[in-house]
Amino acid sequence: MAARRLKIGIALGSGSGRGWAHIGVLRALDDAGIRPEIVCGTSIGSLVGAAYADGTLDALEEWVRQLTWRKVVGFFDISFTGGFIKGEKLIAFLHRNFLDKQISELKMPYGAVATDLLSGREIWLRTGWVSQAVRASIALPGLFTPFEHDGRLLVDGALVNPVPVSLCRAMGADFVIGVDLSSNITAQHLKQPEMEKRSRKALTMLEVVVGGLNIMQMRVTRSRLAGEPADVVITPRLGHLQVLDYHHADEAIAEGRKATAVMIPLIRHLLDEDTAGRSPKRK
């Protein structure tokens, strides 16, 4: 009797401007013939994951590679309550061009992670509009305003589950590939030469908020992956990119490909080994 084929899931982690690295990861896996069948994402990972699950990754990649700082700023709809950016302009654009579907209409199983702001509970978004799931999952506190969904105020899923391995397994994945974008981010944006010349008192509010969130994200990621480990973790190294560096897509995608290429032999070995281990014994 033939061995049962393992169902591969991919957990795309949070990372703001570093998140386009997920595109490079998915491209490299696809080139190697390793194709996830279950896609879960937190924050920026929820956006890239939705495009992959819908088969529109090509269109998303074409768009992000054309982003400039001016275009990024053009999506800012300034808010003075709850966050710096309302997010309505960005989500309206994404809904029109990439996310105009129900989650049930996607070509493969998909889930996004958000956080209930009032209770602190982890929320798994697996039904409803894709654009609403992404909007809730990317609502980074202090940057995006919270998103009201089904009577809850939801914010970025990175607060509770930055790399959603647990959601992948709950959705039926036998083998989970995690993508962690927090491996070398701690205060990296404060270590650059231009920062070293400045007084610590001169740091902007955004820089302080981002620095704090980076530390939190790294610690929570380590804790969750220790308790709920992925079978393989891919760690693109983009700690020098800041939270709003969405206009560095070429660099991020290339690093995602590079980090994945290093892990391909291990992924293949583990998949072969795991499949063999699950094969029924011949009598």
Side-chain angles (χ1 to χ4, degrees), residues 209-274:
V209 169
V210 171
L213 288 172
N214 281 347
I215 294 170
M216 178 207 69
Q217 180 183 339
M218 183 188 70
R219 296 289 185 179
V220 174
T221 301
R222 287 181 178 178
S223 176
R224 290 300 298 256
L225 288 178
E228 300 161 342
D231 294 279
V232 171
V233 179
I234 297 171
T235 56
R237 300 185 65 81
L238 291 164
H240 59 286
L241 293 186
Q242 299 184 40
V243 65
L244 295 178
D245 282 348
Y246 294 101
H247 54 301
H248 288 272
D250 289 348
E251 179 182 358
I253 292 171
E255 174 57 24
R257 276 188 173 276
K258 177 182 175 182
T260 306
V262 172
M263 301 300 292
I264 292 296
L266 175 61
I267 295 172
R268 283 179 170 153
H269 171 73
L270 292 176
L271 283 171
D272 290 343
E273 185 178 69
D274 208 348

Side-chain angles (χ1 to χ4, degrees), residues 98-137:
F98 306 108
L99 309 178
D100 184 15
K101 283 191 176 179
Q102 295 279 320
I103 291 175
S104 60
E105 297 176 301
L106 296 176
K107 297 177 180 178
M108 62 180 67
Y110 164 83
V113 177
T115 304
D116 187 322
L117 183 62
L118 301 183
S119 69
R121 290 180 56 200
E122 179 177 339
I123 305 298
W124 290 353
L125 301 169
R126 297 180 55 188
T127 60
W129 287 103
V130 177
S131 57
Q132 292 184 353
V134 171
R135 172 63 180 86
S137 189

Side-chain angles (χ1 to χ4, degrees), residues 36-218:
E37 299 173 67
I38 295 172
V39 185
C40 299
T42 294
S43 196
I44 188 67
S46 71
L47 170 57
V48 178
Y52 183 74
D54 192 38
T56 57
L57 193 63
D58 287 347
L60 180 67
E61 180 175 356
E62 181 180 356
W63 175 64
V64 303
R65 285 187 182 275
Q66 295 174 1
L67 283 176
T68 63
W69 175 243
R70 184 181 295 274
K71 289 180 180 179
V72 171
V73 173
F75 284 109
F76 292 1
D77 40 6
I78 305 302
S79 170
F80 295 100
T81 57
F84 178 63
I85 303 169
K86 286 189 290 185
E88 294 174 2
K89 187 184 295 186
L90 173 62
I91 291 301
F93 173 85
L94 293 174
H95 181 84
R96 288 194 307 271
N97 292 275
F98 306 108
L99 309 178
D100 184 15
K101 283 191 176 179
Q102 295 279 320
I103 291 175
S104 60
E105 297 176 301
L106 296 176
K107 297 177 180 178
M108 62 180 67
Y110 164 83
V113 177
T115 304
D116 187 322
L117 183 62
L118 301 183
S119 69
R121 290 180 56 200
E122 179 177 339
I123 305 298
W124 290 353
L125 301 169
R126 297 180 55 188
T127 60
W129 287 103
V130 177
S131 57
Q132 292 184 353
V134 171
R135 172 63 180 86
S137 189
I138 67 171
L140 187 66
L143 184 62
F144 284 94
T145 57
F147 181 70
E148 187 172 352
H149 181 71
D150 290 342
R152 297 187 177 102
L153 277 180
L154 301 183
V155 293
D156 199 315
L159 297 179
V160 291
N161 196 354
V163 183
V165 174
S166 55
L167 178 53
C168 265
R169 296 210 188 276
M171 291 175 63
D174 301 307
F175 186 94
V176 178
I177 301 169
V179 185
D180 175 16
L181 302 180
S182 69
S183 61
N184 69 327
I185 63 173
T186 306
Q188 286 293 316
H189 66 294
L190 302 181
K191 296 178 181 179
Q192 298 181 32
E194 61 269 23
M195 290 291 186
E196 294 175 356
K197 298 176 183 177
R198 292 167 47 188
S199 164
R200 293 180 182 178
K201 294 181 180 180
L203 296 176
T204 68
M205 181 179 69
L206 180 60
E207 289 165 353
V208 173
V209 169
V210 171
L213 288 172
N214 281 347
I215 294 170
M216 178 207 69
Q217 180 183 339
M218 183 188 70

